[in-house]
Amino acid sequence: MINGAGGGVGPFAVQIAKYFGAEVTGVDNSKKFDMLRSIGADYVIDYTQEDFTKNGQHYDLILDIAGYHMIFDYRRALSSNANLFFSWGFQIYNFPNFVYRSINFIGGSKKMSLMAWKPNNKEDLDFIKELIESGKLVPVIDRCYPLNEVAEAFRYFEEGHPQGKNCDNCGT
Ligand SMILES: NC(=O)c1ccc[n+]([C@@H]2O[C@H](COP(=O)([O-])OP(=O)(O)OC[C@H]3O[C@@H](n4cnc5c(N)ncnc54)[C@H](OP(=O)(O)O)[C@@H]3O)[C@@H](O)[C@H]2O)c1
């Protein structure tokens, strides 16, 4: 399960999860469903209509890129022995969630980790390079802008809701 699957980070996560044979549920707004299905998502949930932590489903691994839930909610949606990962960012619940983590609130066999920046290593980069060169990992680019329209690109980005990446100066 990838929460926030349709933004800048999510489409990479969806494709990498598919590469490893996972059955993937992507949560985002419904405008991104076609794109998410096109990169392999098996199921999609519209976060504006449904709270994935309350639909009775259980997931073996949750990667939360959006970060709008408290740890109590995730616990409900994790199957036993499942893992929860957060993408590091300024999501409002990151800090309180990690305070809870430090007192092992998630409990039992359910684990929680933070995906934070770490230096690239050759092994990981070679792996990503191989996926890209073989066409198994394709960047999702919402729109392309020539360099002299970079201000317009940022305006579009700031309005919110871009799918995947905005690309400066590609293909022009
Ligand atoms: N981009 C990077 O290269 C990068 C690298 C490392 C870490 N990060 C961190 O990772 C986080 C996400 O980055 P991003 O670039 O992927 O951001 P993003 O492009 O804004 O993507 C976030 C996605 O989550 C969706 N979303 C918003 N509210 C949601 C909710 N309540 N439930 C589920 N999905 C929701 C957004 O949809 P809407 O269009 O409806 O808003 C959007 O598609 C940030 O905190 C960032 O700091 C980013």
Side-chain angles (χ1 to χ4, degrees):
M1 128 75 56
I2 298 169
N3 192 37
V9 174
F12 292 102
V14 171
Q15 294 174 82
I16 292 171
K18 288 307 295 178
Y19 173 80
F20 283 108
E23 198 175 2
V24 175
T25 300
V27 181
D28 213 294
N29 77 57
S30 58
K31 292 190 188 114
K32 305 182 188 182
F33 283 2
D34 286 348
M35 179 272 284
L36 287 173
R37 290 192 183 103
S38 78
I39 57 171
D42 301 285
Y43 309 100
V44 283
I45 295 175
D46 184 345
Y47 76 82
T48 67
Q49 304 296 319
E50 183 180 335
D51 181 343
F52 77 89
T53 68
K54 292 184 180 157
N55 66 7
Q57 296 289 324
H58 294 97
Y59 301 97
D60 299 327
L61 188 153
I62 298 176
L63 168 61
D64 197 335
I65 298 166
Y68 286 101
H69 288 91
M70 281 296 286
I71 197 167
F72 318 94
D73 304 322
Y74 298 113
R75 200 165 64 147
R76 216 172 25 236
L78 288 166
S79 37
S80 50
N81 299 314
N83 281 298
L84 165 66
F85 294 93
F86 289 100
S87 154
W88 179 253
F90 295 103
Q91 294 97 335
I92 46 174
Y93 290 133
N94 263 354
F95 181 71
N97 279 340
F98 272 84
V99 172
Y100 285 118
R101 179 189 185 237
S102 68
I103 55 172
N104 202 21
F105 185 84
I106 200 154
S109 52
K110 300 176 183 180
K111 298 182 196 67
M112 176 173 157
S113 310
L114 174 67
M115 289 174 62
W117 179 87
K118 66 168 188 156
N120 292 317
N121 66 49
K122 184 170 180 324
E123 199 179 282
D124 289 346
L125 291 177
D126 283 347
F127 170 66
I128 297 290
K129 178 172 170 272
E130 217 171 276
L131 288 186
I132 290 171
E133 285 177 351
S134 64
K136 293 188 175 108
L137 181 59
V138 181
V140 172
I141 295 171
D142 185 328
R143 296 183 182 181
C144 291
Y145 294 85
L147 197 56
N148 63 359
E149 289 176 19
V150 70
E152 185 50 40
F154 274 98
R155 261 192 291 278
Y156 177 66
F157 186 69
E158 281 169 2
E159 283 166 12
H161 314 303
Q163 303 192 32
K165 299 280 185 191
N166 255 14
C167 176
D168 303 333
N169 202 28
C170 58
T172 55

